[in-house]
Amino acid sequence: MPQLLLRRARDLVIVLWVVGTVMFVVIRLVPGDPAVSILGDTATPEQLAVLRDSLGLSGSWYEQYAAWLGRVISGDLGTSISFSEPVLPVILGHVVPTLTLAVFSTVISFTVALMITLWGTVRPRSLAARSVTQVASLGMALPQFWVALIVILVFAMVLGWFPPSGYADLLTDPFTAVPSLVLPVVVLVVGDVAVYLIFLRESVTNEMSQLYLRTARSKGLSETRVALGHALPNALMPILTVMGGHFATLVGGVVIVETVFVIPGLGSLALQAISTRDYPLVQGVTLFVTLLFVVVNLLVDLSYALIDPKVRVS
Amino acid sequence: MRPHTLITSVRRNPALTTAIVVLAAMVVAVALLPLVLPSTRAIYPESRLMPPSWAHPLGTDSYGRDVLSRLVTGGRYSLGLAALITLCAGTLGLLVGMVSGFFRTADAVLMRLVDAGMAFPGIVLAMSLAVALGPSMSTELLALTIVFTPFVARVIRSRALSVSGRAYIDAARAAGVPSWKILLRHVCPNVLPLAVVQLVIVSAMSMLVDGALSFLGLGIAPPTPTWGNMISDGRDYLTVAPWLVIFPGVALLACVFFLNLLGSSLRAVVDPRTRSLNALQRLRARSPLASG
């Protein structure tokens, strides 16, 4: 266990270092002087020098790299240009909307997918069970940005049930927040249910062919008891990995949904940072999202060890 | 797998046949239709935002351009770019995966890079590259190659790893066959079928990401049509001219759906593990005792 933790901690540091370095290089790929493109042609040489200094763009590339690495290790992600504030508080201020979206859509998608899979396991010959793969494949093929526009067209423009965009804090203003969350969450759920369905189905099918189920059947258990009591709990284990990975990508991948529905989360912050060439912020958001991804996956692995004795021993 | 077994399993698999036929029809359509349809730049000012009619089967956009012409021309860019990305990410991923699965020393370094690549928020990298280098086809190709190579490499590596442990590889090594020759002669043919399956899935994913980037204005720039930027253009006319958004979306959806179908049914043909599973399922479905 401690060994596993140490190894994973080492991997985490390596992954963050590679991602940070890639972003360091990408930002320096920009043709011309970033300071000029931010301040414009009218800036004085002194102003440019000051900005270059604060961007960490003065000196040779290895000096820049060493300085950058030192600052990141000490937890200083620099100052955002467009917000004129340190990067970390800016990022933390945009986390809540994204997490709200990610948590709601993950919980709802998983519950829906589990219900459908349960039904399919108990009634394997029903229409629902037989068409689930096809429907899920369709769901996986849906372009998110297109679904977003279609649900806005149908449920906001034509039917007028929900607002087409906007965001409010769930705790302080729930009566505005809930209706405005419905459509974005629906868009995320449509794709996610499909992903979970495919994996759950594969996992359950795999589990149903195991020999211990034959034993269970030969004891005279009903097929429903066999499926729900024996196969499903075991089939749910691998889904944890899928859920963890998926939850983490969600946090980085809500750019589209947040942009279309005008939600001030990490995704729209990333887009804003990139289009305003706010380099420290771009770097910060990327590192933050990567850190989240790796940590969530680490937690999933650790929870495996807690749930499954086999993993703990190996 | 021998060619005739391959043909038989294709013919016996209706999903695979459907996917191949539909995708082939789409490729032919985007290749040939632009030759007979009006130019994408032809503007009919008198018929702006017209709903579908005989003259314009999919309607016209806000400039009065024919949506069908733009759709098939856009398909050339969307499909072409996906094919290029698949080719680049496929070649690179195959190389990295094989080397990593075969040489244990390279594995440690390469897999850390692949891990980082998988953890990297792909769309953020693509977006930053698009802004850094200017949105263009080659920027997108570079960005999405970086994003998708790890996905291919991961799968290839695990297969190459299991192949490298086989006795015939040891035999070849003992006989003094150089490593590069073992890779080319013995490892490559064994991982190739799996690589093809993974590539089909990558091409579907890259179409979705490319669509999203175009939609955000970071892909191929208008007036060159792509399915993504057509949907983005149509966004402002959502209530007055919904066909501007609906048709390109359906085209993208259909393309990705059939690519996924092609991938999953090819996997059933190529991967003996899932094939045996399917045979088992078939057996269980037939026997009244087994399925309760």
Side-chain angles (χ1 to χ4, degrees), chain B residues 170-188:
Chain B
D170 288 341
R173 260 207 208 103
V177 181
S179 297
W180 64 267
K181 223 170 183 174
I182 299 181
L183 266 183
L184 208 66
R185 279 271 182 78
H186 300 291
V187 181
C188 189

Side-chain angles (χ1 to χ4, degrees), chain A residues 11 14 18-19 23 30-31 125 137-138 141-143 145-146 149 153 157 205 209 256 260 271 274 277 286 290 293, chain B residues 112 116 119-121 127-128 131-132 208 211-212 215 231 235 238-239 245-246 249 252-253 256-257 280-281 285 291:
Chain A
D11 288 357
I14 296 178
V18 171
V19 168
M23 289 314 291
V30 183
R125 309 219 166 171
S137 320
L138 197 68
L142 283 169
F145 56 98
W146 184 69
L149 294 183
L153 175 66
M157 307 288 198
T205 321
S209 60
I256 294 284
V260 175
L271 185 67
I274 286 168
R277 307 199 163 209
T286 317
T290 314
F293 181 87
Chain B
R112 290 292 87 75
F120 212 118
M127 280 161 43
S128 357
V131 171
L208 285 179
F215 176 75
I231 295 173
R235 203 179 149 180
L238 199 55
T239 40
V245 165
I246 291 172
L252 184 56
L253 168 67
V256 175
F257 175 76
L280 194 77
Q281 286 168 326
S291 58

Side-chain angles (χ1 to χ4, degrees), chain B residues 78-160:
Chain B
S78 296
L79 286 172
L81 188 62
L84 274 178
I85 293 164
T86 311
L87 190 73
C88 294
T91 319
L92 213 61
L94 190 66
L95 213 65
V96 172
M98 279 201 324
V99 168
S100 174
F102 192 70
F103 301 105
R104 301 317 305 272
T105 36
D107 188 40
V109 178
L110 285 175
M111 276 306 115
R112 290 292 87 75
L113 283 176
V114 166
D115 279 348
M118 306 271 277
F120 212 118
I123 195 148
V124 176
L125 174 72
M127 280 161 43
S128 357
L129 271 176
V131 171
L133 303 174
S136 75
M137 199 155 165
S138 44
T139 312
E140 217 182 317
L141 179 60
L142 175 72
L144 295 191
T145 302
I146 298 175
V147 170
F148 287 118
T149 302
F151 284 88
V152 185
R154 249 277 147 78
V155 173
I156 298 304
R157 177 220 177 224
S158 63
R159 190 55 162 264

Side-chain angles (χ1 to χ4, degrees), chain A residues 269-292:
Chain A
L269 182 69
L271 185 67
Q272 187 195 342
I274 286 168
S275 44
T276 53
R277 307 199 163 209
D278 187 342
Y279 301 110
L281 193 54
V282 174
Q283 219 159 28
V285 172
T286 317
L287 280 177
F288 187 80
V289 173
T290 314
L291 180 73
L292 214 66

